Amino acid sequence: SYVLTQPPSVSVAPGQTARITCGGNKIGSKSVHWYQQKAGQAPVLVVYDDSDRPSGIPERFSGSNSGNTATLTISRVEAGDEADYYCQVWDSSSDLLYVFGTGTKVTVL
Amino acid sequence: QVHLVESGGGVVQPGRSLRLSCAASGFTFSSYAMHWVRQAPGKGLEWVAVTSFDGSNKNFADSVKGRFTISRDNSKNTLYLQMNSLRAEDTAVYYCARAIYGAVGWHFDLWGRGTLVTVSS
């Protein structure tokens, strides 16, 4: 089945930029979606279709996808951005249709 | 406001059964594919099952195939997950989620708060 690999953790100072990668074979040919999950809460969609934002999500959250890597970028990081972040794709060619990445813990220093 | 509210979780012995429910409100439930996604304690997200908008198509992760069934009652705006032959590794928070088809594939735009299932003797 399709595998999505994320770094376990990313640390960033307030006001700086956090970049979270999601690696997968030819992931650039798929649509990548990103979820934020704060401690004890349900996931929230923050980016869909590589780079679109749902209503209510700040412009500080952006995404890109090319080759074998997709990236979620959080600009001007705030303390409230501290959370786990998961990428996700739909892989119609796989037995596991809906694949989540391994998750990245973003720590705001 | 749109909401998904799960219920039915609890502590159950290995080999026993449990049925989860997810009540939807604030949107036309019968128009959407619906999913169950779970998260074991301290672990990542794992997709479990999907049902199409009308319940005619269903699919399951290999880890639950043959043990779990998914169903829906559109007249009651409710999604279900029947879990049989439960194992310790099924211990997790179970989320129901609404699915949207975007540019190329599906994503989950609305999630419930989850219900905890603990399988233990």
Side-chain angles (χ1 to χ4, degrees):
Chain A
S1 60
Y2 196 74
V3 176
L4 295 174
T5 302
Q6 299 180 235
S9 62
V10 168
S11 297
V12 58
Q16 300 303 303
T17 297
R19 293 180 179 85
I20 306 161
T21 58
C22 175
N25 185 38
K26 298 180 182 178
I27 196 173
S29 66
K30 304 179 185 300
S31 277
V32 179
H33 320 292
W34 292 91
Y35 304 87
Q36 175 194 69
Q37 186 180 32
K38 296 183 179 179
Q41 298 184 22
V44 172
L45 180 70
V46 293
V47 167
Y48 65 97
D49 290 346
D50 295 342
S51 58
D52 290 334
R53 281 184 311 277
S55 62
I57 300 301
E59 291 183 6
R60 301 185 298 104
F61 289 83
S62 62
S64 63
N65 183 19
S66 179
N68 293 318
T69 304
T71 303
L72 174 69
T73 301
I74 311 173
S75 304
R76 301 179 300 281
V77 166
E78 303 174 356
D81 298 330
E82 186 161 290
D84 293 324
Y85 291 83
Y86 295 90
C87 56
Q88 177 252 318
V89 301
W90 176 65
D91 183 22
S92 60
S93 64
S94 170
D95 288 343
L96 184 60
L97 295 171
Y98 306 87
V99 184
F100 287 98
T102 49
T104 298
K105 169 68 175 180
V106 170
T107 300
V108 181
L109 300 171
Chain B
Q1 282 211 357
V2 292
H3 283 298
L4 296 171
V5 179
E6 302 91 339
S7 60
V11 180
V12 60
Q13 293 179 328
R16 303 299 291 267
S17 299
L18 202 63
R19 188 177 85 154
L20 305 182
S21 299
C22 171
S25 60
F27 65 98
T28 306
F29 179 71
S30 59
S31 296
Y32 292 88
M34 295 295 297
H35 296 248
W36 289 98
V37 177
R38 69 184 180 183
Q39 186 171 36
K43 303 297 184 182
L45 300 171
E46 179 190 14
W47 173 76
V48 173
V50 58
T51 176
S52 59
F53 69 100
D54 61 356
S56 62
N57 288 297
K58 304 172 185 181
N59 218 321
F60 300 88
D62 285 346
S63 57
V64 307
K65 201 170 290 184
R67 299 188 299 122
F68 289 13
T69 58
I70 188 171
S71 62
R72 64 191 298 161
D73 186 337
N74 286 344
S75 69
K76 296 182 178 179
N77 292 337
T78 303
L79 175 73
Y80 302 101
L81 184 68
Q82 178 67 43
M83 304 185 294
N84 299 330
S85 303
L86 282 162
R87 306 167 179 167
E89 54 264 36
D90 295 319
T91 294
V93 174
Y94 285 74
Y95 297 100
C96 67
R98 186 176 77 176
I100 294 288
Y101 191 86
V104 175
W106 294 89
H107 61 272
F108 308 104
D109 73 325
L110 179 66
W111 297 69
R113 298 184 67 177
T115 187
L116 176 62
V117 173
T118 303
V119 183
S120 173
S121 54

